[in-house]
Amino acid sequence: MRRFVMTVMGLAALGAPSALADVFHDYEDLAEGFQTQTLAHDGVTFRDANRVSGFYPDGVPFNDTENGNEIIVERATYFYNDFPGYGSPDNSLTFGSAFIPGDNLTIGALASVWMDLDELSNEARFDLAYYEGGPWGGIEWRLDALRNGNVVASVVSPIAFGGDRDNPTWTTLSVAAAEFDSLHLYGWLNGSYTAPRGMIDDLSVTAVPEPANLTLLALAGLLAFGARRRA
């Protein structure tokens, strides 16, 4: 009887879930500057930056190229100095068509960007720097998590009104679902894409644990049932 019980335990262990490694991006391993229009980096592929048409906050339309489609590493030392809770110095990821070399920075246009994940995941979060007030008040930051192209979870973060000029600030966006394979971050205003300024850091993605081997677990259950019948 003891040998039989040990066999059941061994089968169950073979089918036990095993966690996949988490993904964490602080971009410190990347050189400042343009990184091309598709960046595959440590389990995440950034693509299609600003590949949408929409309207600026003043109602003027834009197409899918005029905000720039580059993925850019920005050395943002001055921003980290002013906002020590944001990300982790010194590199951030921004988008569009320009950057400022050295410790100074620009927060690029971010109408839309996709992040495809190498592994199925159930939670993601990152810090997002942007401008509030001025022309940006009322825009919504939206973060969708998708599985096979279908939205399974989303979060909305409005940009605050206030004052005649834009002011830098930051927030943390997070989303969770049973499983997703991509993320979509975009600016939204009056039912259309718009183009606020955005820069991200400390992207953290939690992978879904590998599923248990159901065949082995089922066999273990049958063996355990047989053991109870013989007892």
Side-chain angles (χ1 to χ4, degrees):
M1 178 64 67
R2 177 174 298 175
R3 233 184 345 250
F4 184 84
V5 173
M6 288 175 66
T7 301
V8 172
M9 290 176 63
L11 286 168
L14 286 173
S18 59
L20 299 174
D22 291 345
V23 170
F24 180 76
H25 282 198
D26 60 11
Y27 313 109
E28 297 307 308
D29 61 326
L30 297 176
E32 184 184 31
F34 297 110
Q35 301 291 318
T36 74
Q37 296 184 8
T38 300
L39 174 64
H41 181 248
D42 290 346
V44 180
T45 299
F46 300 85
R47 61 173 175 86
D48 292 335
N50 298 328
R51 290 288 184 186
V52 295
S53 299
F55 297 88
Y56 295 115
D58 61 4
V60 174
F62 61 82
N63 63 31
D64 62 354
T65 60
E66 65 185 83
N67 282 299
N69 308 117
E70 296 291 327
I71 298 163
I72 304 164
V73 173
E74 181 65 88
R75 183 177 170 187
T77 304
Y78 292 165
F79 191 90
Y80 291 102
N81 290 345
D82 290 342
F83 300 94
Y86 166 78
S88 50
D90 286 296
N91 288 346
S92 279
L93 202 67
T94 191
F95 312 89
S97 59
F99 78 99
I100 299 177
D103 291 339
N104 206 348
L105 70 141
T106 182
I107 301 179
L110 180 49
S112 169
V113 66
W114 287 85
M115 294 164 261
D116 295 332
L117 310 177
D118 288 356
E119 304 287 353
L120 285 178
S121 303
N122 56 25
E123 185 177 2
R125 68 175 54 240
F126 54 83
D127 290 346
L128 173 65
Y130 60 96
Y131 293 119
E132 65 180 0
W136 316 111
I139 293 174
E140 293 178 345
W141 285 113
R142 294 190 174 191
L143 174 63
D144 293 342
L146 301 94
R147 177 74 168 107
N148 295 328
N150 298 309
V151 176
V152 295
S154 60
V155 64
V156 175
S157 180
I159 295 179
F161 290 93
D164 296 329
R165 56 170 293 174
D166 45 10
N167 297 301
T169 187
W170 69 279
T171 190
T172 299
L173 296 182
S174 63
V175 67
E179 58 182 32
F180 52 85
D181 55 24
S182 63
L183 299 166
H184 185 203
L185 173 64
Y186 54 101
W188 198 252
L189 180 67
N190 298 327
S192 298
Y193 287 106
T194 191
R197 299 296 184 262
M199 182 173 70
I200 68 174
D201 197 17
D202 284 6
L203 170 64
S204 174
V205 181
T206 303
V208 175
E210 294 179 353
N213 189 319
L214 298 179
T215 301
L216 290 176
L217 288 179
L219 179 58
L222 289 174
L223 291 175
F225 176 76
R228 290 194 298 270
R229 289 289 300 273
R230 293 182 184 180

